[in-house]
Amino acid sequence: MWRPCPSGCRGNHRSLDPSWCSKLEGSSAALASVTEHLAGLALAGDPHRMLLHAADYMDLCSTVVIGWMWLLQAAAATEGLAAQPSEPGRAFYEGELCAAQYWVAAELGRVGHLAALCRAGDDSYGRMLPGWFLRLR
């Protein structure tokens, strides 16, 4: 069963920035919607159009999945910081939180663009023929 956000994003880990969870939930919903759209193209007998942006789709999937992982790491880091660790431990947990913050801000922000590319089905490069790349002398 698909869940919009991993357990731990909300609920027990209320100390996480709620906007991080909201961004991940929105990104997960975009991924689910694009997946349904692409599956519909395949079911309609148009696998070529479905696969036009396969690389963008894989980028979209991996960005969302890694987003889940960073939020789970952030939740664990928040718990670790609550235990008031020694300096090396505190520095590690703070680093984990900064890395998660980066992913949410920089990488999840690309999800909308990637989803739009997958939905639009631009075929400009799909129509290219190898001979078009020969140099004229």
Side-chain angles (χ1 to χ4, degrees):
M1 176 178 188
W2 176 79
R3 289 189 294 186
C5 195
S7 60
C9 182
R10 297 191 190 267
N12 294 337
H13 303 290
R14 298 200 190 285
S15 59
L16 285 180
D17 185 334
S19 70
W20 294 7
C21 293
S22 294
K23 277 193 174 181
L24 182 59
E25 288 169 343
S27 296
S28 297
L31 173 58
S33 176
V34 166
T35 301
E36 289 175 15
H37 172 75
L38 295 175
L41 292 174
L43 291 172
D46 196 356
H48 176 74
R49 191 162 156 231
M50 176 192 76
L51 293 171
L52 277 174
H53 288 272
D56 296 320
Y57 180 74
M58 294 306 295
D59 191 0
L60 170 62
C61 289
S62 62
T63 299
V64 172
V65 169
I66 298 301
W68 290 344
M69 299 310 298
W70 274 118
L71 281 187
L72 292 173
Q73 287 290 102
T78 301
E79 286 180 3
L81 284 171
Q84 299 178 345
S86 64
E87 180 51 35
R90 190 186 72 67
F92 171 77
Y93 292 134
E94 290 290 348
E96 292 289 294
L97 289 172
C98 286
Q101 180 181 348
Y102 165 81
W103 195 266
V104 169
E107 298 298 327
L108 287 182
R110 298 181 317 110
V111 165
H113 177 68
L114 292 167
L117 287 172
C118 293
R119 283 184 172 282
D122 172 56
D123 70 344
S124 58
Y125 58 88
R127 292 182 291 119
M128 300 290 283
L129 297 176
W132 295 355
F133 294 96
L134 295 176
R135 290 176 30 164
L136 297 175
R137 291 183 187 206

